[in-house]
Amino acid sequence: MDPEAGHKFAVKALASGFAPRDMAKDDEALAVELWGQRLSSPVGLAAGFDKDGEAIDGLFNLGFSWVEVGSVTPKPQEGNPKPRVFHLAEDSAIINRYGFPSQGHAIVLSRLRSYVATHPPSAVTPSILALNLGKNKSSAPDSTTDFLTGVAKFGPLVDVLVINVSSPNTAGLRALQGRGVLEELLSEVIKARDALPKRSTNEWKWEKAKIVVKIAPDLSEKEVQDIAEAVKLSGVDGVIVSNTTIQRPATLNSINAVETGGLSGPPVKPLTLATLKTLRGHLPSSIPIIGCGGISSGSDAVEYADAGATLVQLYTSFAYDGVGAPRRVKDEVTATLAARKTTWNEVVKSSVEKLSWRPKKATDLFKDAQEELKAALDEAGKRISFGDELVLLKEKVVEAIPVIHAPPLSVPAAGDAPAPPATDARPEKTLQELVREAEAALGLPTSS
């Protein structure tokens, strides 16, 4: 079956109400705390599978603690031309260039309202419904309107809103990850969220939806640092690391590796983990990170927790393994934690505390300032000393020039007529020119 056709069939099957259910209870060791709420496990589903909110109930029934609908765009759009999904079976990976195919806000909003009406939100429900917001292709690259519209429409109906600025399949979208434009975007999103009416915490986990930003794995260390600053300054609640990659690791074996689009699955894991570790070191412990990229086993998930992720998301492993993937991964996580005699929450708490950024104390700032001042004074002293030596050397050069260029003395013999004055065969040069020549020969800065 064509990969995209198989994808659509799976969504329809899960939406039918006749899909399998995971009836097992999550082990207590899997419990995790996020923004003050307890979830039964850290294993969620990333955006991209249920793009239009058709199979929310079916996905929760498989045991995911976090189901993320989308990406959803304001206007309906077809996305990129087909074919646009490619399996790399030899690499257990996928390349997609979907380009945000979406039925649009109106249809997805209707589905979400129906879902909330039949599944009343509860502050104690051990799961999170998230919605991933995307931009229409027809929208201006630097426009924030699509995101702000999405916040206003969907904020009252979901637990979490995800701002997707990292898909590689929409032209110009990743440019929104630059510090200045991202800080402005996220600040506007937070203002739009804060303007929403408060919800009852007897019914909802939080008075207002949490805001999370999803970033790419193809960022430099400086770009990740800039994103961290934008996140801290804007007041965003969390970060998902990461989206698909545009890189093609040399380890890929499939002939489909040449296809354009975002690569997901095990090959992206090293890139995502590196980005996550860098980001964790520049964010305070109060801002959680959700890890997403190449997680196909329990050991993968725990590796993300060791790197400072609070939750993890599956996508490609779910596409390959099917409905049993979340239970399998959770059981493997449980076994790994049991072998280490610990729990998920303990692993996360330890790694986040150890790896997160901490604001410096006043005494540390004073010491840093002292060190910077001392270094500046030392450098200034060196320059002053070197400058004085140059001045003295130049003076000596100037004094030496008349001696070097003086004509040779000629002493006449007794009785001879006085010899004519000796002449220098070289053309006459000014003193300044001679100084410059000497400076150049000595490798000194030239005089002006």
Side-chain angles (χ1 to χ4, degrees), residues 218-247:
D218 306 311
L219 301 162
S220 68
E221 184 171 349
K222 177 63 168 60
E223 288 170 328
V224 175
Q225 292 177 19
D226 286 346
I227 287 174
E229 291 304 311
V231 167
K232 287 187 286 188
L233 291 171
S234 64
V236 163
D237 299 297
V239 184
I240 296 176
V241 182
S242 67
N243 214 312
T244 56
T245 180
I246 58 174
Q247 298 183 51

mmCIF file of all heavy atoms in Angstrom, residues 218-247:
data_model
loop_
_atom_site.group_PDB
_atom_site.id
_atom_site.type_symbol
_atom_site.label_atom_id
_atom_site.label_comp_id
_atom_site.label_asym_id
_atom_site.label_seq_id
_atom_site.Cartn_x
_atom_site.Cartn_y
_atom_site.Cartn_z
ATOM 1 N N ASP A 218 18.217 20.996 13.396
ATOM 2 C CA ASP A 218 19.277 21.432 12.478
ATOM 3 C C ASP A 218 19.816 22.811 12.842
ATOM 4 O O ASP A 218 20.142 23.617 11.973
ATOM 5 C CB ASP A 218 18.735 21.457 11.042
ATOM 6 C CG ASP A 218 18.117 20.134 10.643
ATOM 7 O OD1 ASP A 218 18.765 19.103 10.848
ATOM 8 O OD2 ASP A 218 16.980 20.141 10.145
ATOM 9 N N LEU A 219 19.907 23.087 14.121
ATOM 10 C CA LEU A 219 20.312 24.405 14.599
ATOM 11 C C LEU A 219 21.735 24.379 15.144
ATOM 12 O O LEU A 219 22.173 23.378 15.721
ATOM 13 C CB LEU A 219 19.364 24.879 15.706
ATOM 14 C CG LEU A 219 17.888 24.998 15.325
ATOM 15 C CD1 LEU A 219 17.021 25.046 16.580
ATOM 16 C CD2 LEU A 219 17.654 26.239 14.475
ATOM 17 N N SER A 220 22.435 25.500 14.984
ATOM 18 C CA SER A 220 23.761 25.624 15.584
ATOM 19 C C SER A 220 23.607 25.848 17.085
ATOM 20 O O SER A 220 22.516 26.174 17.587
ATOM 21 C CB SER A 220 24.518 26.798 14.964
ATOM 22 O OG SER A 220 23.908 28.030 15.341
ATOM 23 N N GLU A 221 24.701 25.705 17.807
ATOM 24 C CA GLU A 221 24.652 25.922 19.251
ATOM 25 C C GLU A 221 24.222 27.354 19.570
ATOM 26 O O GLU A 221 23.433 27.585 20.497
ATOM 27 C CB GLU A 221 26.027 25.643 19.873
ATOM 28 C CG GLU A 221 26.038 25.754 21.390
ATOM 29 C CD GLU A 221 27.341 25.277 22.009
ATOM 30 O OE1 GLU A 221 28.159 24.671 21.283
ATOM 31 O OE2 GLU A 221 27.537 25.505 23.215
ATOM 32 N N LYS A 222 24.703 28.316 18.795
ATOM 33 C CA LYS A 222 24.322 29.717 19.016
ATOM 34 C C LYS A 222 22.831 29.917 18.749
ATOM 35 O O LYS A 222 22.154 30.646 19.490
ATOM 36 C CB LYS A 222 25.146 30.613 18.077
ATOM 37 C CG LYS A 222 24.796 32.106 18.167
ATOM 38 C CD LYS A 222 25.100 32.665 19.551
ATOM 39 C CE LYS A 222 25.050 34.184 19.588
ATOM 40 N NZ LYS A 222 23.736 34.726 19.204
ATOM 41 N N GLU A 223 22.301 29.271 17.722
ATOM 42 C CA GLU A 223 20.871 29.395 17.422
ATOM 43 C C GLU A 223 20.025 28.788 18.537
ATOM 44 O O GLU A 223 18.979 29.337 18.893
ATOM 45 C CB GLU A 223 20.561 28.723 16.086
ATOM 46 C CG GLU A 223 21.082 29.496 14.886
ATOM 47 C CD GLU A 223 20.980 28.716 13.585
ATOM 48 O OE1 GLU A 223 21.096 27.468 13.616
ATOM 49 O OE2 GLU A 223 20.789 29.350 12.533
ATOM 50 N N VAL A 224 20.472 27.680 19.103
ATOM 51 C CA VAL A 224 19.750 27.072 20.217
ATOM 52 C C VAL A 224 19.787 27.995 21.434
ATOM 53 O O VAL A 224 18.778 28.165 22.138
ATOM 54 C CB VAL A 224 20.348 25.693 20.569
ATOM 55 C CG1 VAL A 224 19.679 25.117 21.818
ATOM 56 C CG2 VAL A 224 20.184 24.726 19.403
ATOM 57 N N GLN A 225 20.916 28.611 21.683
ATOM 58 C CA GLN A 225 21.027 29.573 22.790
ATOM 59 C C GLN A 225 20.074 30.742 22.580
ATOM 60 O O GLN A 225 19.420 31.198 23.527
ATOM 61 C CB GLN A 225 22.465 30.070 22.905
ATOM 62 C CG GLN A 225 23.454 29.016 23.360
ATOM 63 C CD GLN A 225 24.891 29.547 23.378
ATOM 64 O OE1 GLN A 225 25.112 30.744 23.386
ATOM 65 N NE2 GLN A 225 25.844 28.636 23.393
ATOM 66 N N ASP A 226 19.986 31.228 21.350
ATOM 67 C CA ASP A 226 19.079 32.342 21.045
ATOM 68 C C ASP A 226 17.622 31.937 21.276
ATOM 69 O O ASP A 226 16.814 32.734 21.785
ATOM 70 C CB ASP A 226 19.269 32.796 19.599
ATOM 71 C CG ASP A 226 20.557 33.572 19.386
ATOM 72 O OD1 ASP A 226 21.172 33.993 20.397
ATOM 73 O OD2 ASP A 226 20.960 33.769 18.228
ATOM 74 N N ILE A 227 17.272 30.709 20.894
ATOM 75 C CA ILE A 227 15.912 30.226 21.127
ATOM 76 C C ILE A 227 15.625 30.157 22.627
ATOM 77 O O ILE A 227 14.540 30.542 23.088
ATOM 78 C CB ILE A 227 15.706 28.849 20.464
ATOM 79 C CG1 ILE A 227 15.608 29.026 18.939
ATOM 80 C CG2 ILE A 227 14.466 28.142 21.003
ATOM 81 C CD1 ILE A 227 15.558 27.731 18.167
ATOM 82 N N ALA A 228 16.600 29.687 23.395
ATOM 83 C CA ALA A 228 16.425 29.626 24.845
ATOM 84 C C ALA A 228 16.148 31.010 25.428
ATOM 85 O O ALA A 228 15.279 31.172 26.303
ATOM 86 C CB ALA A 228 17.664 29.012 25.497
ATOM 87 N N GLU A 229 16.867 32.012 24.952
ATOM 88 C CA GLU A 229 16.648 33.379 25.437
ATOM 89 C C GLU A 229 15.253 33.864 25.070
ATOM 90 O O GLU A 229 14.564 34.503 25.883
ATOM 91 C CB GLU A 229 17.711 34.319 24.863
ATOM 92 C CG GLU A 229 19.106 34.077 25.403
ATOM 93 C CD GLU A 229 19.169 34.157 26.920
ATOM 94 O OE1 GLU A 229 18.645 35.149 27.486
ATOM 95 O OE2 GLU A 229 19.708 33.236 27.540
ATOM 96 N N ALA A 230 14.815 33.566 23.834
ATOM 97 C CA ALA A 230 13.474 33.977 23.402
ATOM 98 C C ALA A 230 12.403 33.292 24.245
ATOM 99 O O ALA A 230 11.392 33.902 24.614
ATOM 100 C CB ALA A 230 13.286 33.649 21.921
ATOM 101 N N VAL A 231 12.618 32.024 24.560
ATOM 102 C CA VAL A 231 11.665 31.272 25.382
ATOM 103 C C VAL A 231 11.594 31.874 26.785
ATOM 104 O O VAL A 231 10.500 32.093 27.336
ATOM 105 C CB VAL A 231 12.073 29.783 25.442
ATOM 106 C CG1 VAL A 231 11.309 29.050 26.539
ATOM 107 C CG2 VAL A 231 11.821 29.121 24.092
ATOM 108 N N LYS A 232 12.738 32.166 27.372
ATOM 109 C CA LYS A 232 12.755 32.715 28.735
ATOM 110 C C LYS A 232 12.103 34.090 28.786
ATOM 111 O O LYS A 232 11.336 34.387 29.708
ATOM 112 C CB LYS A 232 14.193 32.784 29.247
ATOM 113 C CG LYS A 232 14.790 31.429 29.606
ATOM 114 C CD LYS A 232 16.147 31.548 30.272
ATOM 115 C CE LYS A 232 17.238 31.927 29.309
ATOM 116 N NZ LYS A 232 18.593 31.852 29.910
ATOM 117 N N LEU A 233 12.398 34.921 27.811
ATOM 118 C CA LEU A 233 11.887 36.294 27.833
ATOM 119 C C LEU A 233 10.404 36.371 27.515
ATOM 120 O O LEU A 233 9.706 37.264 28.005
ATOM 121 C CB LEU A 233 12.680 37.155 26.849
ATOM 122 C CG LEU A 233 14.142 37.440 27.231
ATOM 123 C CD1 LEU A 233 14.883 38.114 26.084
ATOM 124 C CD2 LEU A 233 14.203 38.313 28.483
ATOM 125 N N SER A 234 9.900 35.450 26.705
ATOM 126 C CA SER A 234 8.499 35.510 26.277
ATOM 127 C C SER A 234 7.546 34.883 27.283
ATOM 128 O O SER A 234 6.356 35.213 27.296
ATOM 129 C CB SER A 234 8.332 34.810 24.925
ATOM 130 O OG SER A 234 8.637 33.433 25.035
ATOM 131 N N GLY A 235 8.029 33.968 28.103
ATOM 132 C CA GLY A 235 7.164 33.311 29.075
ATOM 133 C C GLY A 235 6.512 32.042 28.558
ATOM 134 O O GLY A 235 5.504 31.581 29.114
ATOM 135 N N VAL A 236 7.071 31.447 27.509
ATOM 136 C CA VAL A 236 6.555 30.190 26.972
ATOM 137 C C VAL A 236 6.697 29.090 28.022
ATOM 138 O O VAL A 236 7.640 29.075 28.812
ATOM 139 C CB VAL A 236 7.304 29.822 25.674
ATOM 140 C CG1 VAL A 236 7.105 28.369 25.305
ATOM 141 C CG2 VAL A 236 6.823 30.707 24.534
ATOM 142 N N ASP A 237 5.749 28.131 28.008
ATOM 143 C CA ASP A 237 5.691 27.121 29.057
ATOM 144 C C ASP A 237 6.600 25.921 28.824
ATOM 145 O O ASP A 237 6.962 25.218 29.784
ATOM 146 C CB ASP A 237 4.250 26.629 29.219
ATOM 147 C CG ASP A 237 3.308 27.753 29.628
ATOM 148 O OD1 ASP A 237 3.495 28.305 30.718
ATOM 149 O OD2 ASP A 237 2.402 28.090 28.845
ATOM 150 N N GLY A 238 6.954 25.628 27.562
ATOM 151 C CA GLY A 238 7.777 24.460 27.296
ATOM 152 C C GLY A 238 8.255 24.425 25.859
ATOM 153 O O GLY A 238 7.856 25.250 25.032
ATOM 154 N N VAL A 239 9.107 23.448 25.550
ATOM 155 C CA VAL A 239 9.688 23.308 24.207
ATOM 156 C C VAL A 239 9.653 21.835 23.802
ATOM 157 O O VAL A 239 9.951 20.953 24.618
ATOM 158 C CB VAL A 239 11.151 23.806 24.170
ATOM 159 C CG1 VAL A 239 11.695 23.734 22.744
ATOM 160 C CG2 VAL A 239 11.254 25.222 24.710
ATOM 161 N N ILE A 240 9.286 21.583 22.538
ATOM 162 C CA ILE A 240 9.403 20.239 21.967
ATOM 163 C C ILE A 240 10.647 20.197 21.088
ATOM 164 O O ILE A 240 10.815 21.012 20.189
ATOM 165 C CB ILE A 240 8.171 19.859 21.125
ATOM 166 C CG1 ILE A 240 6.927 19.783 22.013
ATOM 167 C CG2 ILE A 240 8.392 18.510 20.428
ATOM 168 C CD1 ILE A 240 5.653 19.498 21.247
ATOM 169 N N VAL A 241 11.516 19.241 21.375
ATOM 170 C CA VAL A 241 12.742 19.034 20.609
ATOM 171 C C VAL A 241 12.721 17.585 20.114
ATOM 172 O O VAL A 241 12.844 16.667 20.910
ATOM 173 C CB VAL A 241 13.999 19.256 21.478
ATOM 174 C CG1 VAL A 241 15.253 19.088 20.657
ATOM 175 C CG2 VAL A 241 13.978 20.626 22.150
ATOM 176 N N SER A 242 12.479 17.325 18.827
ATOM 177 C CA SER A 242 12.501 18.289 17.759
ATOM 178 C C SER A 242 11.575 17.830 16.643
ATOM 179 O O SER A 242 10.948 16.773 16.725
ATOM 180 C CB SER A 242 13.922 18.408 17.191
ATOM 181 O OG SER A 242 14.266 17.189 16.536
ATOM 182 N N ASN A 243 11.555 18.632 15.580
ATOM 183 C CA ASN A 243 10.860 18.283 14.356
ATOM 184 C C ASN A 243 11.756 17.358 13.524
ATOM 185 O O ASN A 243 12.786 16.888 13.996
ATOM 186 C CB ASN A 243 10.512 19.555 13.577
ATOM 187 C CG ASN A 243 9.190 19.436 12.839
ATOM 188 O OD1 ASN A 243 8.927 18.456 12.159
ATOM 189 N ND2 ASN A 243 8.346 20.453 12.969
ATOM 190 N N THR A 244 11.380 17.146 12.264
ATOM 191 C CA THR A 244 12.205 16.324 11.376
ATOM 192 C C THR A 244 13.451 17.092 10.936
ATOM 193 O O THR A 244 13.534 18.310 11.091
ATOM 194 C CB THR A 244 11.401 15.914 10.136
ATOM 195 O OG1 THR A 244 10.903 17.099 9.497
ATOM 196 C CG2 THR A 244 10.229 15.026 10.518
ATOM 197 N N THR A 245 14.411 16.362 10.373
ATOM 198 C CA THR A 245 15.662 16.986 9.937
ATOM 199 C C THR A 245 15.768 17.027 8.418
ATOM 200 O O THR A 245 15.238 16.143 7.725
ATOM 201 C CB THR A 245 16.886 16.236 10.500
ATOM 202 O OG1 THR A 245 18.082 16.873 10.043
ATOM 203 C CG2 THR A 245 16.918 14.787 10.035
ATOM 204 N N ILE A 246 16.452 18.035 7.923
ATOM 205 C CA ILE A 246 16.747 18.107 6.490
ATOM 206 C C ILE A 246 18.099 17.475 6.181
ATOM 207 O O ILE A 246 18.493 17.365 5.023
ATOM 208 C CB ILE A 246 16.723 19.569 5.986
ATOM 209 C CG1 ILE A 246 17.729 20.428 6.763
ATOM 210 C CG2 ILE A 246 15.325 20.148 6.087
ATOM 211 C CD1 ILE A 246 17.871 21.843 6.240
ATOM 212 N N GLN A 247 18.814 17.055 7.216
ATOM 213 C CA GLN A 247 20.105 16.397 7.009
ATOM 214 C C GLN A 247 19.901 14.947 6.568
ATOM 215 O O GLN A 247 18.854 14.340 6.809
ATOM 216 C CB GLN A 247 20.930 16.435 8.298
ATOM 217 C CG GLN A 247 21.258 17.847 8.777
ATOM 218 C CD GLN A 247 22.128 17.836 10.003
ATOM 219 O OE1 GLN A 247 23.172 17.181 10.042
ATOM 220 N NE2 GLN A 247 21.723 18.567 11.048
#
